[in-house]
PDB file of all heavy atoms in Angstrom:
ATOM      1  N   ALA Z   1      11.965   3.630   0.995  1.00  0.00           N
ATOM      2  CA  ALA Z   1      11.580   3.733  -0.449  1.00  0.00           C
ATOM      3  C   ALA Z   1      12.455   2.721  -1.222  1.00  0.00           C
ATOM      4  O   ALA Z   1      13.618   2.961  -1.452  1.00  0.00           O
ATOM      5  CB  ALA Z   1      11.890   5.173  -0.980  1.00  0.00           C
ATOM      6  N   VAL Z   2      11.803   1.545  -1.500  1.00  0.00           N
ATOM      7  CA  VAL Z   2      12.549   0.446  -2.101  1.00  0.00           C
ATOM      8  C   VAL Z   2      12.942   0.819  -3.495  1.00  0.00           C
ATOM      9  O   VAL Z   2      13.980   0.516  -4.015  1.00  0.00           O
ATOM     10  CB  VAL Z   2      11.660  -0.860  -1.984  1.00  0.00           C
ATOM     11  CG1 VAL Z   2      12.401  -2.037  -2.562  1.00  0.00           C
ATOM     12  CG2 VAL Z   2      11.200  -1.120  -0.601  1.00  0.00           C
ATOM     13  N   SER Z   3      11.969   1.403  -4.269  1.00  0.00           N
ATOM     14  CA  SER Z   3      12.222   1.878  -5.594  1.00  0.00           C
ATOM     15  C   SER Z   3      11.177   2.954  -5.909  1.00  0.00           C
ATOM     16  O   SER Z   3      10.439   3.306  -5.006  1.00  0.00           O
ATOM     17  CB  SER Z   3      12.023   0.643  -6.576  1.00  0.00           C
ATOM     18  OG  SER Z   3      10.607   0.336  -6.679  1.00  0.00           O
ATOM     19  N   GLU Z   4      11.147   3.415  -7.119  1.00  0.00           N
ATOM     20  CA  GLU Z   4      10.143   4.424  -7.466  1.00  0.00           C
ATOM     21  C   GLU Z   4       8.694   3.859  -7.374  1.00  0.00           C
ATOM     22  O   GLU Z   4       7.741   4.569  -7.081  1.00  0.00           O
ATOM     23  CB  GLU Z   4      10.343   4.928  -8.928  1.00  0.00           C
ATOM     24  CG  GLU Z   4      11.343   6.028  -8.968  1.00  0.00           C
ATOM     25  CD  GLU Z   4      11.473   6.658 -10.351  1.00  0.00           C
ATOM     26  OE1 GLU Z   4      10.447   6.573 -11.083  1.00  0.00           O
ATOM     27  OE2 GLU Z   4      12.518   7.117 -10.721  1.00  0.00           O
ATOM     28  N   GLU Z   5       8.598   2.512  -7.507  1.00  0.00           N
ATOM     29  CA  GLU Z   5       7.279   1.924  -7.554  1.00  0.00           C
ATOM     30  C   GLU Z   5       6.928   1.181  -6.242  1.00  0.00           C
ATOM     31  O   GLU Z   5       5.835   0.743  -6.116  1.00  0.00           O
ATOM     32  CB  GLU Z   5       7.149   0.930  -8.675  1.00  0.00           C
ATOM     33  CG  GLU Z   5       7.283   1.594 -10.043  1.00  0.00           C
ATOM     34  CD  GLU Z   5       6.931   0.597 -11.197  1.00  0.00           C
ATOM     35  OE1 GLU Z   5       7.459  -0.535 -11.143  1.00  0.00           O
ATOM     36  OE2 GLU Z   5       6.240   0.951 -12.047  1.00  0.00           O
ATOM     37  N   GLU Z   6       7.895   1.069  -5.331  1.00  0.00           N
ATOM     38  CA  GLU Z   6       7.599   0.305  -4.110  1.00  0.00           C
ATOM     39  C   GLU Z   6       8.055   1.135  -2.881  1.00  0.00           C
ATOM     40  O   GLU Z   6       9.201   1.621  -2.835  1.00  0.00           O
ATOM     41  CB  GLU Z   6       8.398  -0.983  -4.020  1.00  0.00           C
ATOM     42  CG  GLU Z   6       8.702  -1.662  -5.318  1.00  0.00           C
ATOM     43  CD  GLU Z   6       7.502  -2.421  -5.855  1.00  0.00           C
ATOM     44  OE1 GLU Z   6       6.594  -2.795  -5.056  1.00  0.00           O
ATOM     45  OE2 GLU Z   6       7.447  -2.554  -7.071  1.00  0.00           O
ATOM     46  N   LYS Z   7       7.144   1.212  -1.941  1.00  0.00           N
ATOM     47  CA  LYS Z   7       7.561   1.824  -0.646  1.00  0.00           C
ATOM     48  C   LYS Z   7       7.047   0.968   0.514  1.00  0.00           C
ATOM     49  O   LYS Z   7       5.976   0.351   0.407  1.00  0.00           O
ATOM     50  CB  LYS Z   7       6.927   3.238  -0.518  1.00  0.00           C
ATOM     51  CG  LYS Z   7       7.609   4.299  -1.343  1.00  0.00           C
ATOM     52  CD  LYS Z   7       7.177   5.698  -0.952  1.00  0.00           C
ATOM     53  CE  LYS Z   7       7.861   6.792  -1.720  1.00  0.00           C
ATOM     54  NZ  LYS Z   7       7.309   6.883  -3.093  1.00  0.00           N
ATOM     55  N   ILE Z   8       7.805   0.952   1.605  1.00  0.00           N
ATOM     56  CA  ILE Z   8       7.331   0.328   2.825  1.00  0.00           C
ATOM     57  C   ILE Z   8       6.944   1.388   3.848  1.00  0.00           C
ATOM     58  O   ILE Z   8       7.668   2.330   4.081  1.00  0.00           O
ATOM     59  CB  ILE Z   8       8.453  -0.643   3.378  1.00  0.00           C
ATOM     60  CG1 ILE Z   8       8.795  -1.732   2.383  1.00  0.00           C
ATOM     61  CG2 ILE Z   8       8.010  -1.224   4.754  1.00  0.00           C
ATOM     62  CD1 ILE Z   8       9.908  -2.642   2.792  1.00  0.00           C
ATOM     63  N   TYR Z   9       5.709   1.259   4.380  1.00  0.00           N
ATOM     64  CA  TYR Z   9       5.158   2.193   5.351  1.00  0.00           C
ATOM     65  C   TYR Z   9       4.903   1.530   6.651  1.00  0.00           C
ATOM     66  O   TYR Z   9       4.588   0.355   6.729  1.00  0.00           O
ATOM     67  CB  TYR Z   9       3.799   2.747   4.847  1.00  0.00           C
ATOM     68  CG  TYR Z   9       3.846   3.615   3.619  1.00  0.00           C
ATOM     69  CD1 TYR Z   9       3.723   3.060   2.332  1.00  0.00           C
ATOM     70  CD2 TYR Z   9       3.900   4.985   3.664  1.00  0.00           C
ATOM     71  CE1 TYR Z   9       3.658   3.802   1.163  1.00  0.00           C
ATOM     72  CE2 TYR Z   9       3.858   5.780   2.562  1.00  0.00           C
ATOM     73  CZ  TYR Z   9       3.729   5.206   1.264  1.00  0.00           C
ATOM     74  OH  TYR Z   9       3.690   5.973   0.155  1.00  0.00           O
ATOM     75  N   HIS Z  10       4.923   2.362   7.745  1.00  0.00           N
ATOM     76  CA  HIS Z  10       4.396   1.919   9.027  1.00  0.00           C
ATOM     77  C   HIS Z  10       3.185   2.706   9.309  1.00  0.00           C
ATOM     78  O   HIS Z  10       3.167   3.948   9.256  1.00  0.00           O
ATOM     79  CB  HIS Z  10       5.508   2.206  10.141  1.00  0.00           C
ATOM     80  CG  HIS Z  10       5.012   1.737  11.451  1.00  0.00           C
ATOM     81  ND1 HIS Z  10       5.007   2.582  12.548  1.00  0.00           N
ATOM     82  CD2 HIS Z  10       4.534   0.518  11.897  1.00  0.00           C
ATOM     83  CE1 HIS Z  10       4.567   1.879  13.618  1.00  0.00           C
ATOM     84  NE2 HIS Z  10       4.278   0.646  13.210  1.00  0.00           N
ATOM     85  N   VAL Z  11       2.051   2.014   9.517  1.00  0.00           N
ATOM     86  CA  VAL Z  11       0.743   2.697   9.681  1.00  0.00           C
ATOM     87  C   VAL Z  11       0.276   2.312  11.093  1.00  0.00           C
ATOM     88  O   VAL Z  11       0.356   1.166  11.586  1.00  0.00           O
ATOM     89  CB  VAL Z  11      -0.308   2.098   8.694  1.00  0.00           C
ATOM     90  CG1 VAL Z  11      -1.650   2.636   8.889  1.00  0.00           C
ATOM     91  CG2 VAL Z  11       0.173   2.442   7.239  1.00  0.00           C
ATOM     92  N   THR Z  12      -0.276   3.328  11.806  1.00  0.00           N
ATOM     93  CA  THR Z  12      -0.964   3.005  13.032  1.00  0.00           C
ATOM     94  C   THR Z  12      -2.425   3.398  12.865  1.00  0.00           C
ATOM     95  O   THR Z  12      -2.740   4.319  12.137  1.00  0.00           O
ATOM     96  CB  THR Z  12      -0.395   3.783  14.241  1.00  0.00           C
ATOM     97  OG1 THR Z  12      -0.586   5.189  13.995  1.00  0.00           O
ATOM     98  CG2 THR Z  12       1.109   3.504  14.424  1.00  0.00           C
ATOM     99  N   SER Z  13      -3.304   2.615  13.486  1.00  0.00           N
ATOM    100  CA  SER Z  13      -4.753   2.946  13.361  1.00  0.00           C
ATOM    101  C   SER Z  13      -5.327   3.178  14.741  1.00  0.00           C
ATOM    102  O   SER Z  13      -4.832   2.626  15.739  1.00  0.00           O
ATOM    103  CB  SER Z  13      -5.462   1.864  12.667  1.00  0.00           C
ATOM    104  OG  SER Z  13      -5.316   0.619  13.353  1.00  0.00           O
ATOM    105  N   ALA Z  14      -6.413   3.959  14.772  1.00  0.00           N
ATOM    106  CA  ALA Z  14      -7.039   4.347  16.061  1.00  0.00           C
ATOM    107  C   ALA Z  14      -7.622   3.056  16.689  1.00  0.00           C
ATOM    108  O   ALA Z  14      -8.122   2.172  15.984  1.00  0.00           O
ATOM    109  CB  ALA Z  14      -8.133   5.380  15.710  1.00  0.00           C
ATOM    110  N   PRO Z  15      -7.613   3.084  18.041  1.00  0.00           N
ATOM    111  CA  PRO Z  15      -8.185   1.933  18.707  1.00  0.00           C
ATOM    112  C   PRO Z  15      -9.744   1.902  18.506  1.00  0.00           C
ATOM    113  O   PRO Z  15     -10.382   2.929  18.525  1.00  0.00           O
ATOM    114  CB  PRO Z  15      -7.820   2.131  20.178  1.00  0.00           C
ATOM    115  CG  PRO Z  15      -7.619   3.604  20.303  1.00  0.00           C
ATOM    116  CD  PRO Z  15      -7.121   4.069  18.984  1.00  0.00           C
ATOM    117  N   MET Z  16     -10.214   0.671  18.355  1.00  0.00           N
ATOM    118  CA  MET Z  16     -11.696   0.485  18.386  1.00  0.00           C
ATOM    119  C   MET Z  16     -12.076   0.218  19.815  1.00  0.00           C
ATOM    120  O   MET Z  16     -11.251  -0.229  20.605  1.00  0.00           O
ATOM    121  CB  MET Z  16     -12.120  -0.710  17.489  1.00  0.00           C
ATOM    122  CG  MET Z  16     -11.681  -0.619  16.082  1.00  0.00           C
ATOM    123  SD  MET Z  16     -12.847   0.475  15.184  1.00  0.00           S
ATOM    124  CE  MET Z  16     -14.325  -0.524  15.029  1.00  0.00           C
ATOM    125  N   THR Z  17     -13.323   0.383  20.198  1.00  0.00           N
ATOM    126  CA  THR Z  17     -13.791   0.141  21.509  1.00  0.00           C
ATOM    127  C   THR Z  17     -13.425  -1.265  21.906  1.00  0.00           C
ATOM    128  O   THR Z  17     -13.710  -2.246  21.202  1.00  0.00           O
ATOM    129  CB  THR Z  17     -15.289   0.313  21.611  1.00  0.00           C
ATOM    130  OG1 THR Z  17     -15.702   1.435  20.824  1.00  0.00           O
ATOM    131  CG2 THR Z  17     -15.807   0.457  22.982  1.00  0.00           C
ATOM    132  N   GLY Z  18     -12.678  -1.376  23.033  1.00  0.00           N
ATOM    133  CA  GLY Z  18     -12.370  -2.700  23.525  1.00  0.00           C
ATOM    134  C   GLY Z  18     -11.173  -3.350  22.844  1.00  0.00           C
ATOM    135  O   GLY Z  18     -10.867  -4.523  23.148  1.00  0.00           O
ATOM    136  N   HIS Z  19     -10.530  -2.624  21.928  1.00  0.00           N
ATOM    137  CA  HIS Z  19      -9.399  -3.214  21.243  1.00  0.00           C
ATOM    138  C   HIS Z  19      -8.179  -2.319  21.388  1.00  0.00           C
ATOM    139  O   HIS Z  19      -8.348  -1.065  21.511  1.00  0.00           O
ATOM    140  CB  HIS Z  19      -9.642  -3.377  19.754  1.00  0.00           C
ATOM    141  CG  HIS Z  19     -10.671  -4.431  19.430  1.00  0.00           C
ATOM    142  ND1 HIS Z  19     -10.342  -5.770  19.269  1.00  0.00           N
ATOM    143  CD2 HIS Z  19     -12.003  -4.372  19.240  1.00  0.00           C
ATOM    144  CE1 HIS Z  19     -11.483  -6.447  19.015  1.00  0.00           C
ATOM    145  NE2 HIS Z  19     -12.476  -5.572  19.005  1.00  0.00           N
ATOM    146  N   GLN Z  20      -7.024  -2.918  21.476  1.00  0.00           N
ATOM    147  CA  GLN Z  20      -5.796  -2.122  21.491  1.00  0.00           C
ATOM    148  C   GLN Z  20      -5.609  -1.435  20.094  1.00  0.00           C
ATOM    149  O   GLN Z  20      -6.002  -2.008  19.115  1.00  0.00           O
ATOM    150  CB  GLN Z  20      -4.621  -3.154  21.731  1.00  0.00           C
ATOM    151  CG  GLN Z  20      -3.403  -2.530  22.320  1.00  0.00           C
ATOM    152  CD  GLN Z  20      -2.339  -3.628  22.467  1.00  0.00           C
ATOM    153  OE1 GLN Z  20      -2.567  -4.778  22.165  1.00  0.00           O
ATOM    154  NE2 GLN Z  20      -1.144  -3.250  22.987  1.00  0.00           N
ATOM    155  N   PRO Z  21      -4.923  -0.225  20.082  1.00  0.00           N
ATOM    156  CA  PRO Z  21      -4.618   0.301  18.763  1.00  0.00           C
ATOM    157  C   PRO Z  21      -3.741  -0.685  17.966  1.00  0.00           C
ATOM    158  O   PRO Z  21      -2.964  -1.366  18.567  1.00  0.00           O
ATOM    159  CB  PRO Z  21      -3.891   1.616  19.102  1.00  0.00           C
ATOM    160  CG  PRO Z  21      -3.566   1.585  20.517  1.00  0.00           C
ATOM    161  CD  PRO Z  21      -4.436   0.596  21.167  1.00  0.00           C
ATOM    162  N   ARG Z  22      -3.942  -0.658  16.616  1.00  0.00           N
ATOM    163  CA  ARG Z  22      -3.257  -1.590  15.823  1.00  0.00           C
ATOM    164  C   ARG Z  22      -2.139  -0.896  14.926  1.00  0.00           C
ATOM    165  O   ARG Z  22      -2.272   0.264  14.726  1.00  0.00           O
ATOM    166  CB  ARG Z  22      -4.215  -2.302  14.836  1.00  0.00           C
ATOM    167  CG  ARG Z  22      -5.247  -3.104  15.581  1.00  0.00           C
ATOM    168  CD  ARG Z  22      -6.363  -3.670  14.673  1.00  0.00           C
ATOM    169  NE  ARG Z  22      -7.302  -4.375  15.550  1.00  0.00           N
ATOM    170  CZ  ARG Z  22      -7.073  -5.626  15.880  1.00  0.00           C
ATOM    171  NH1 ARG Z  22      -6.047  -6.323  15.444  1.00  0.00           N
ATOM    172  NH2 ARG Z  22      -7.931  -6.301  16.721  1.00  0.00           N
ATOM    173  N   ASP Z  23      -1.184  -1.693  14.589  1.00  0.00           N
ATOM    174  CA  ASP Z  23      -0.243  -1.139  13.602  1.00  0.00           C
ATOM    175  C   ASP Z  23       0.127  -2.142  12.572  1.00  0.00           C
ATOM    176  O   ASP Z  23      -0.131  -3.344  12.745  1.00  0.00           O
ATOM    177  CB  ASP Z  23       1.049  -0.549  14.320  1.00  0.00           C
ATOM    178  CG  ASP Z  23       1.999  -1.663  14.766  1.00  0.00           C
ATOM    179  OD1 ASP Z  23       1.581  -2.807  15.029  1.00  0.00           O
ATOM    180  OD2 ASP Z  23       3.190  -1.318  14.944  1.00  0.00           O
ATOM    181  N   PHE Z  24       0.574  -1.644  11.425  1.00  0.00           N
ATOM    182  CA  PHE Z  24       0.806  -2.500  10.236  1.00  0.00           C
ATOM    183  C   PHE Z  24       2.160  -2.067   9.574  1.00  0.00           C
ATOM    184  O   PHE Z  24       2.434  -0.799   9.595  1.00  0.00           O
ATOM    185  CB  PHE Z  24      -0.274  -2.274   9.135  1.00  0.00           C
ATOM    186  CG  PHE Z  24      -1.667  -2.563   9.659  1.00  0.00           C
ATOM    187  CD1 PHE Z  24      -2.402  -1.602  10.336  1.00  0.00           C
ATOM    188  CD2 PHE Z  24      -2.283  -3.803   9.360  1.00  0.00           C
ATOM    189  CE1 PHE Z  24      -3.731  -1.856  10.717  1.00  0.00           C
ATOM    190  CE2 PHE Z  24      -3.593  -4.059   9.762  1.00  0.00           C
ATOM    191  CZ  PHE Z  24      -4.257  -3.118  10.459  1.00  0.00           C
ATOM    192  N   VAL Z  25       2.916  -2.962   9.123  1.00  0.00           N
ATOM    193  CA  VAL Z  25       4.085  -2.644   8.288  1.00  0.00           C
ATOM    194  C   VAL Z  25       3.721  -3.185   6.903  1.00  0.00           C
ATOM    195  O   VAL Z  25       3.498  -4.373   6.745  1.00  0.00           O
ATOM    196  CB  VAL Z  25       5.407  -3.278   8.769  1.00  0.00           C
ATOM    197  CG1 VAL Z  25       6.561  -3.041   7.841  1.00  0.00           C
ATOM    198  CG2 VAL Z  25       5.714  -2.785  10.169  1.00  0.00           C
ATOM    199  N   ILE Z  26       3.591  -2.242   5.957  1.00  0.00           N
ATOM    200  CA  ILE Z  26       3.035  -2.664   4.647  1.00  0.00           C
ATOM    201  C   ILE Z  26       3.937  -2.258   3.499  1.00  0.00           C
ATOM    202  O   ILE Z  26       4.600  -1.255   3.527  1.00  0.00           O
ATOM    203  CB  ILE Z  26       1.610  -2.060   4.412  1.00  0.00           C
ATOM    204  CG1 ILE Z  26       1.660  -0.523   4.551  1.00  0.00           C
ATOM    205  CG2 ILE Z  26       0.592  -2.669   5.313  1.00  0.00           C
ATOM    206  CD1 ILE Z  26       0.353   0.160   4.125  1.00  0.00           C
ATOM    207  N   LEU Z  27       3.884  -3.138   2.470  1.00  0.00           N
ATOM    208  CA  LEU Z  27       4.577  -2.834   1.160  1.00  0.00           C
ATOM    209  C   LEU Z  27       3.517  -2.359   0.258  1.00  0.00           C
ATOM    210  O   LEU Z  27       2.445  -3.029   0.091  1.00  0.00           O
ATOM    211  CB  LEU Z  27       5.181  -4.124   0.650  1.00  0.00           C
ATOM    212  CG  LEU Z  27       5.738  -4.043  -0.782  1.00  0.00           C
ATOM    213  CD1 LEU Z  27       6.954  -3.132  -0.864  1.00  0.00           C
ATOM    214  CD2 LEU Z  27       6.115  -5.428  -1.335  1.00  0.00           C
ATOM    215  N   VAL Z  28       3.734  -1.123  -0.258  1.00  0.00           N
ATOM    216  CA  VAL Z  28       2.784  -0.605  -1.259  1.00  0.00           C
ATOM    217  C   VAL Z  28       3.440  -0.611  -2.636  1.00  0.00           C
ATOM    218  O   VAL Z  28       4.503   0.004  -2.802  1.00  0.00           O
ATOM    219  CB  VAL Z  28       2.330   0.850  -0.890  1.00  0.00           C
ATOM    220  CG1 VAL Z  28       1.458   1.411  -1.985  1.00  0.00           C
ATOM    221  CG2 VAL Z  28       1.633   0.845   0.432  1.00  0.00           C
ATOM    222  N   SER Z  29       2.869  -1.366  -3.622  1.00  0.00           N
ATOM    223  CA  SER Z  29       3.541  -1.476  -4.939  1.00  0.00           C
ATOM    224  C   SER Z  29       2.530  -0.776  -5.925  1.00  0.00           C
ATOM    225  O   SER Z  29       1.338  -1.066  -5.885  1.00  0.00           O
ATOM    226  CB  SER Z  29       3.605  -2.927  -5.339  1.00  0.00           C
ATOM    227  OG  SER Z  29       4.303  -3.700  -4.376  1.00  0.00           O
ATOM    228  N   GLN Z  30       3.047   0.064  -6.747  1.00  0.00           N
ATOM    229  CA  GLN Z  30       2.222   0.756  -7.739  1.00  0.00           C
ATOM    230  C   GLN Z  30       2.669   0.403  -9.223  1.00  0.00           C
ATOM    231  O   GLN Z  30       3.866   0.297  -9.396  1.00  0.00           O
ATOM    232  CB  GLN Z  30       2.235   2.256  -7.495  1.00  0.00           C
ATOM    233  CG  GLN Z  30       3.641   2.831  -7.583  1.00  0.00           C
ATOM    234  CD  GLN Z  30       3.615   4.309  -7.132  1.00  0.00           C
ATOM    235  OE1 GLN Z  30       3.539   4.588  -5.996  1.00  0.00           O
ATOM    236  NE2 GLN Z  30       3.739   5.210  -8.104  1.00  0.00           N
ATOM    237  N   ARG Z  31       1.723   0.252 -10.048  1.00  0.00           N
ATOM    238  CA  ARG Z  31       1.985  -0.045 -11.472  1.00  0.00           C
ATOM    239  C   ARG Z  31       1.173   0.837 -12.398  1.00  0.00           C
ATOM    240  O   ARG Z  31      -0.062   0.867 -12.191  1.00  0.00           O
ATOM    241  CB  ARG Z  31       1.724  -1.509 -11.800  1.00  0.00           C
ATOM    242  CG  ARG Z  31       2.720  -2.474 -11.065  1.00  0.00           C
ATOM    243  CD  ARG Z  31       4.104  -2.415 -11.670  1.00  0.00           C
ATOM    244  NE  ARG Z  31       4.935  -3.409 -11.054  1.00  0.00           N
ATOM    245  CZ  ARG Z  31       5.540  -3.269  -9.831  1.00  0.00           C
ATOM    246  NH1 ARG Z  31       5.373  -2.135  -9.129  1.00  0.00           N
ATOM    247  NH2 ARG Z  31       6.314  -4.248  -9.299  1.00  0.00           N
ATOM    248  N   GLN Z  32       1.697   1.365 -13.431  1.00  0.00           N
ATOM    249  CA  GLN Z  32       0.976   2.012 -14.438  1.00  0.00           C
ATOM    250  C   GLN Z  32       0.531   0.983 -15.460  1.00  0.00           C
ATOM    251  O   GLN Z  32       1.216  -0.054 -15.587  1.00  0.00           O
ATOM    252  CB  GLN Z  32       1.804   3.112 -15.089  1.00  0.00           C
ATOM    253  CG  GLN Z  32       2.374   4.124 -14.129  1.00  0.00           C
ATOM    254  CD  GLN Z  32       2.354   5.522 -14.603  1.00  0.00           C
ATOM    255  OE1 GLN Z  32       1.693   5.874 -15.589  1.00  0.00           O
ATOM    256  NE2 GLN Z  32       3.060   6.383 -13.919  1.00  0.00           N
ATOM    257  N   PRO Z  33      -0.569   1.210 -16.194  1.00  0.00           N
ATOM    258  CA  PRO Z  33      -1.004   0.171 -17.174  1.00  0.00           C
ATOM    259  C   PRO Z  33       0.015   0.038 -18.290  1.00  0.00           C
ATOM    260  O   PRO Z  33       0.615   1.028 -18.722  1.00  0.00           O
ATOM    261  CB  PRO Z  33      -2.311   0.732 -17.666  1.00  0.00           C
ATOM    262  CG  PRO Z  33      -2.477   2.107 -17.125  1.00  0.00           C
ATOM    263  CD  PRO Z  33      -1.464   2.356 -16.118  1.00  0.00           C
ATOM    264  N   CYS Z  34       0.210  -1.221 -18.761  1.00  0.00           N
ATOM    265  CA  CYS Z  34       1.051  -1.419 -19.931  1.00  0.00           C
ATOM    266  C   CYS Z  34       0.268  -1.255 -21.202  1.00  0.00           C
ATOM    267  O   CYS Z  34       0.813  -0.841 -22.292  1.00  0.00           O
ATOM    268  CB  CYS Z  34       1.572  -2.916 -19.957  1.00  0.00           C
ATOM    269  SG  CYS Z  34       2.482  -3.259 -18.448  1.00  0.00           S
ATOM    270  N   ARG Z  35      -1.089  -1.531 -21.149  1.00  0.00           N
ATOM    271  CA  ARG Z  35      -1.903  -1.363 -22.298  1.00  0.00           C
ATOM    272  C   ARG Z  35      -3.067  -0.434 -21.980  1.00  0.00           C
ATOM    273  O   ARG Z  35      -3.489  -0.382 -20.788  1.00  0.00           O
ATOM    274  CB  ARG Z  35      -2.394  -2.705 -22.813  1.00  0.00           C
ATOM    275  CG  ARG Z  35      -1.279  -3.574 -23.366  1.00  0.00           C
ATOM    276  CD  ARG Z  35      -1.830  -4.792 -24.079  1.00  0.00           C
ATOM    277  NE  ARG Z  35      -2.345  -5.799 -23.158  1.00  0.00           N
ATOM    278  CZ  ARG Z  35      -1.591  -6.718 -22.506  1.00  0.00           C
ATOM    279  NH1 ARG Z  35      -0.298  -6.763 -22.630  1.00  0.00           N
ATOM    280  NH2 ARG Z  35      -2.186  -7.598 -21.696  1.00  0.00           N
ATOM    281  N   PRO Z  36      -3.672   0.249 -22.954  1.00  0.00           N
ATOM    282  CA  PRO Z  36      -4.717   1.219 -22.618  1.00  0.00           C
ATOM    283  C   PRO Z  36      -5.902   0.672 -21.813  1.00  0.00           C
ATOM    284  O   PRO Z  36      -6.387   1.391 -20.976  1.00  0.00           O
ATOM    285  CB  PRO Z  36      -5.182   1.641 -24.047  1.00  0.00           C
ATOM    286  CG  PRO Z  36      -4.082   1.308 -24.993  1.00  0.00           C
ATOM    287  CD  PRO Z  36      -3.361   0.151 -24.394  1.00  0.00           C
ATOM    288  N   GLN Z  37      -6.288  -0.579 -22.042  1.00  0.00           N
ATOM    289  CA  GLN Z  37      -7.508  -1.052 -21.335  1.00  0.00           C
ATOM    290  C   GLN Z  37      -7.180  -1.564 -19.966  1.00  0.00           C
ATOM    291  O   GLN Z  37      -8.122  -1.949 -19.171  1.00  0.00           O
ATOM    292  CB  GLN Z  37      -8.261  -2.150 -22.188  1.00  0.00           C
ATOM    293  CG  GLN Z  37      -7.476  -3.490 -22.350  1.00  0.00           C
ATOM    294  CD  GLN Z  37      -6.397  -3.445 -23.522  1.00  0.00           C
ATOM    295  OE1 GLN Z  37      -5.972  -2.377 -23.877  1.00  0.00           O
ATOM    296  NE2 GLN Z  37      -6.095  -4.614 -23.991  1.00  0.00           N
ATOM    297  N   GLU Z  38      -5.925  -1.663 -19.573  1.00  0.00           N
ATOM    298  CA  GLU Z  38      -5.498  -2.126 -18.308  1.00  0.00           C
ATOM    299  C   GLU Z  38      -5.673  -1.027 -17.176  1.00  0.00           C
ATOM    300  O   GLU Z  38      -5.525   0.140 -17.455  1.00  0.00           O
ATOM    301  CB  GLU Z  38      -4.064  -2.643 -18.253  1.00  0.00           C
ATOM    302  CG  GLU Z  38      -3.888  -3.874 -18.990  1.00  0.00           C
ATOM    303  CD  GLU Z  38      -2.433  -4.402 -19.005  1.00  0.00           C
ATOM    304  OE1 GLU Z  38      -1.573  -3.681 -18.457  1.00  0.00           O
ATOM    305  OE2 GLU Z  38      -2.229  -5.541 -19.566  1.00  0.00           O
ATOM    306  N   PRO Z  39      -5.946  -1.478 -15.929  1.00  0.00           N
ATOM    307  CA  PRO Z  39      -6.108  -0.413 -14.865  1.00  0.00           C
ATOM    308  C   PRO Z  39      -4.741  -0.022 -14.253  1.00  0.00           C
ATOM    309  O   PRO Z  39      -3.762  -0.764 -14.434  1.00  0.00           O
ATOM    310  CB  PRO Z  39      -6.907  -1.159 -13.779  1.00  0.00           C
ATOM    311  CG  PRO Z  39      -6.498  -2.617 -13.989  1.00  0.00           C
ATOM    312  CD  PRO Z  39      -6.245  -2.803 -15.460  1.00  0.00           C
ATOM    313  N   TYR Z  40      -4.703   1.122 -13.638  1.00  0.00           N
ATOM    314  CA  TYR Z  40      -3.623   1.531 -12.752  1.00  0.00           C
ATOM    315  C   TYR Z  40      -3.782   0.645 -11.515  1.00  0.00           C
ATOM    316  O   TYR Z  40      -4.924   0.372 -11.094  1.00  0.00           O
ATOM    317  CB  TYR Z  40      -3.716   2.957 -12.312  1.00  0.00           C
ATOM    318  CG  TYR Z  40      -3.390   3.979 -13.422  1.00  0.00           C
ATOM    319  CD1 TYR Z  40      -4.391   4.409 -14.351  1.00  0.00           C
ATOM    320  CD2 TYR Z  40      -2.136   4.527 -13.492  1.00  0.00           C
ATOM    321  CE1 TYR Z  40      -4.051   5.363 -15.254  1.00  0.00           C
ATOM    322  CE2 TYR Z  40      -1.784   5.497 -14.452  1.00  0.00           C
ATOM    323  CZ  TYR Z  40      -2.736   5.881 -15.356  1.00  0.00           C
ATOM    324  OH  TYR Z  40      -2.442   6.799 -16.335  1.00  0.00           O
ATOM    325  N   THR Z  41      -2.703   0.195 -10.934  1.00  0.00           N
ATOM    326  CA  THR Z  41      -2.785  -0.748  -9.779  1.00  0.00           C
ATOM    327  C   THR Z  41      -1.943  -0.210  -8.576  1.00  0.00           C
ATOM    328  O   THR Z  41      -0.830   0.294  -8.779  1.00  0.00           O
ATOM    329  CB  THR Z  41      -2.238  -2.110 -10.142  1.00  0.00           C
ATOM    330  OG1 THR Z  41      -3.044  -2.584 -11.268  1.00  0.00           O
ATOM    331  CG2 THR Z  41      -2.388  -3.101  -9.011  1.00  0.00           C
ATOM    332  N   VAL Z  42      -2.510  -0.262  -7.390  1.00  0.00           N
ATOM    333  CA  VAL Z  42      -1.784   0.087  -6.174  1.00  0.00           C
ATOM    334  C   VAL Z  42      -2.109  -1.121  -5.244  1.00  0.00           C
ATOM    335  O   VAL Z  42      -3.222  -1.268  -4.775  1.00  0.00           O
ATOM    336  CB  VAL Z  42      -2.324   1.367  -5.502  1.00  0.00           C
ATOM    337  CG1 VAL Z  42      -1.516   1.640  -4.270  1.00  0.00           C
ATOM    338  CG2 VAL Z  42      -2.226   2.538  -6.456  1.00  0.00           C
ATOM    339  N   ALA Z  43      -1.067  -1.998  -5.013  1.00  0.00           N
ATOM    340  CA  ALA Z  43      -1.275  -3.182  -4.209  1.00  0.00           C
ATOM    341  C   ALA Z  43      -0.606  -3.052  -2.851  1.00  0.00           C
ATOM    342  O   ALA Z  43       0.425  -2.474  -2.717  1.00  0.00           O
ATOM    343  CB  ALA Z  43      -0.739  -4.402  -4.959  1.00  0.00           C
TER     344      ALA Z  43
END
């Protein structure tokens, strides 16, 4: 948990036919809107 808005996850995904199972190390960043018309963001 890098901060309240950033976390690093390790994800594994199911194997597809003929493929090895995959894994990912990802940074998930979240932001609340600064102004009413802006979206919430999860990158």
Side-chain angles (χ1 to χ4, degrees):
V2 183
S3 70
E4 277 187 27
E5 295 189 315
E6 327 285 334
K7 284 193 178 76
I8 296 175
Y9 293 89
H10 181 233
V11 175
T12 63
S13 61
M16 299 282 288
T17 318
H19 292 274
Q20 203 180 0
R22 296 173 181 275
D23 76 337
F24 302 83
V25 176
I26 54 171
L27 170 68
V28 177
S29 308
Q30 58 187 75
R31 292 289 182 279
Q32 305 222 15
C34 301
R35 291 191 288 277
Q37 68 277 22
E38 288 181 356
Y40 288 86
T41 302
V42 181

